[in-house]
Amino acid sequence: MSAFAVRGTAETPGVPPGGPVKGLPWAVLRLHRAALLVWGAFLLAALGMLVWEVEITADSVRDRMAACERTGGGLCRLQNLTDYSSTIGWASTLVYYSFFAVAAFAAGALIGRELENGTAQLAWTQSVSPTRWLAVTLAVPAVLLTVGGTVFVFVFRWAWAANRDLMGDDWTFNDVFAARGPALVAYGFCGLGVGALAGVVLRRSLPALGVACGVMYLVNHNLEKYREDLWPAVTPAPTKGVEMSQDVWQIGDGTGRFHPRSHYWPMHLVETGIVLGVAVLATGAAFWVLRRRTA
Amino acid sequence: MSRVGDGTALTAVGLGKRYRRRRGHVLRDCSFRLPTGRICALVGPNGAGKSTLLQLAAGLIRPTEGTLTVLGTSPAAARERFAYVAQGKPLPLQLTVAATLRLGAELNRARWDQPAAERIAYGHPTEQGARDGALEPTARIRSLSGGQRTRVALALAFGKRPELMLLDEPMADLDPLARRELLGALLGEAAEHGTTIVMSSHVVAELEGVCDHLLLMGGGRIRLGGDPEELLAAHTLVTGPARDLTGHTVVESRDTGRQLTALIRPGGPPSDDWQTAAPTLEELLLAHLRNPKAPDLFTEDTEAGEEKSGSEAEGTKEAEETGKPGETGEDQENEENARA
Amino acid sequence: MTTLLTSTGTSSSASPAVGRGLALSVLRLHRSALWLWLLLVVVLSAAMLWAYGPGYDAADTDLQERCRKSVETCHFPDGPAFIRYDRAVSYSTLAVTCFPFLVAVWAGAALIARELETGTAHLAWTQSVSPTRWLAAKLAVPALLITAGTAVLVPLHRLVWDQDAWLRSMDWYDRSIYPSSGTLPLAYALCGLALGALAGLVVGRALPALGVAFAALLAVYYLGNEYRLSLWPTVTVTGAKALNLPDDALQLDRGVITDEGTRIANNLACADADGVAGLRRCLADSGLDEIWATYHPRYHYWPLQLAETGVVLAVAALAVTAAFVLLRRRTATEGVAV
């Protein structure tokens, strides 16, 4: 029997040959490698789509539209326009609403699943306190979302401004409004926080996933609905009549109040603040619940 | 076989855990003390609370009453110094065996013994080469059988170089060869490094020669605690004509009308017409499990440093006997006062 | 002496009882989904009934009042009554539209994949239920419930929208309500169920199966959106008839035929001519022979719906067949190597 006894080798801790990322962050990345790859591919595809449209297809679209002038069809022009702008629109819409996927991932796979099948508890008995586990498990995706989201925002701003004459939308559109500033990243954080809270409270991956997506829908839907009220609108002077310039956000209650373009940043930053507030609250609550449950 | 440890690995005082209002207490008023350096068997019926106790010790859940100290501090503070293997042996299914060991190394950066972990995971090659069913480093956890997963889970525990190992039914999935290997490794660990080992198990016979401390759980508390040899020495199987057994604590008795067989803790030398025999550990445990009302018995004091050495009698008093054999409704309070 | 127990007589009579037992066990196992589904149906029905009756009346009277007072309100409907009505209608439409995706996601994750992952499917298979039967019950019971629920929700939805004409004029072909009317919601929901089951069997793990099922249904939905209008032959008219298309026609294309006989699409020349005489003059002036217009009239609604339903159900049938084939190949339903 003693042949199999564990002989104590020199008690040096076996530090593994590490790359730049070590310890718990390495563990988080390794465990969720598949999700990381999917997210990376998705982001690269969206970025690639934007760059491709602006650099490569814009010129051919312009050529085709010039050709349209000759045949005299308004529909032809519209067709080409929508092809171009809808591709850009798809990229921004998909990336904007990807916070649903982030919330689903956080609740389902990142937190809920690990709590459900015990691998979180495994980490807790491998010298990682529950609080540190939750912190790093959320921090790693948060860093990735920040980097990826920021890159996307800059690329999108460039792409959107590049060929204004080819695009039929304006700054008031839902996805354009959100994707041209930090709100995009804030929504990602919110998805993480809400997903984490759902996962910690429910401890089962599928119900947590459903609840997290539901909550994110409520938050986003209400923000989109009341977006125009985020900042006081401008009431036109009675003599001027209804402002008909293209670049304003008309308040839809028929009173003629509107938001000029200069209101974009205040409105956007207020929305960012609200979303970040929800994210912070949800994350804090998740930590609190976890502390209460574990030693 | 008992080694004198000068510290306490685990202490519980009045520990209680209740999950939900309706379900009642899983642990209630659980108190014991486990000195360091022991190999302790945690035995009890299904649902007695063994897993809950181990989870409390591992700091995964909070007690609702009482206190629990692990290696002298709270479970959270001692996190790096003990290892825990849950009953289901949870492992990340998507990783390979090598990646899982790497995970252990990354998470336990302060103390990790990769060779020790690998030895447990991959085993020793026999003369003919790698043994049957040996693990490949590139095998995914998902594809492993229950026993193979147990090896990986135990490898994670051993690699931590812990001072205390909390193992919840570690032998359940293992084949006989692996079981002997594991027991050997545990004994070796204890001998080399003085590791305290707490194993919950059902297979008493296996533990008999290996463990030098026993904790029997029942009714949400510890009912027997101490060196199995001392516990056995404190009990006698008596057979004889039906007679009352005042002066002795009766754990279990069976009356066939003519003959009475009883397991007792003698309060003095039994009379001559009794035949006495020493019970086996299995008989002792079964008798206690069948009779939840038998009084608790501890051969260790709950205060650290006041441990009695092996040969002497234990420091508990026998409580009053109600007179009729078979009825052992002991007063719990007397027992507590005697112990404290 | 051993006697052989012949149980052949009992096996056939046990089938209906076993079938019912299996159905009940499916319901029991997915009890929470059942409750959620019932809740959804009840809440949506209540919301739509309210929108159809009291909600509409209140909004209608309120808006007429406001319209009398200020012209702007006629074009920008507002007011608390209208907002409540609008909210009820929008949310119920959203729910009916999204419902197939919910089904796909649930079927992918919880119905099949989860059971395979945790091994409870194997439990069922060793409880005298063959894998084929198990899958059939798993598909049949939700399909029945989905059909029942859709049969309640879609007609209600139609009622609400038909009445909505004055408040918010939408046409029969409007993109946001066409897929949630007629037989399409049921078709997409059943397709979601089938794709979810197939994804669950193929992938075998709950969360990835969820993603795959969602993506698959999204792809089917997108293709349906794209090719919706080409599923039934369009109507092409020329001349004066092209000038005055029926009111609720879905105009697809307009064009001209030149004197040389070339057919040019996407061209609005002479489309605004005034009557037959004006048209003839315009054609003569521009050197054109004829103008034409292609459209779907309103009575194409049902053929288009049924054609798309057929395609979607065919996809569902394919998915179900694939699922059964895959299951048979994996499990020993006959005890011999395939």
Side-chain angles (χ1 to χ4, degrees), chain A residues 24-43:
Chain A
L24 190 51
W26 177 88
V28 174
L29 286 173
R30 181 64 181 81
L31 279 172
H32 301 283
R33 205 170 51 174
L36 176 65
L37 291 173
V38 167
W39 173 81
F42 167 71
L43 193 63

Side-chain angles (χ1 to χ4, degrees), chain A residues 65 68-69 73-82 165-166, chain C residues 266:
Chain A
M65 278 172 61
C68 272
E69 300 293 327
L75 280 171
C76 157
R77 189 166 193 279
L78 218 58
Q79 189 87 355
N80 283 299
L81 260 182
T82 46
D165 55 318
L166 292 182
Chain C
N266 203 357

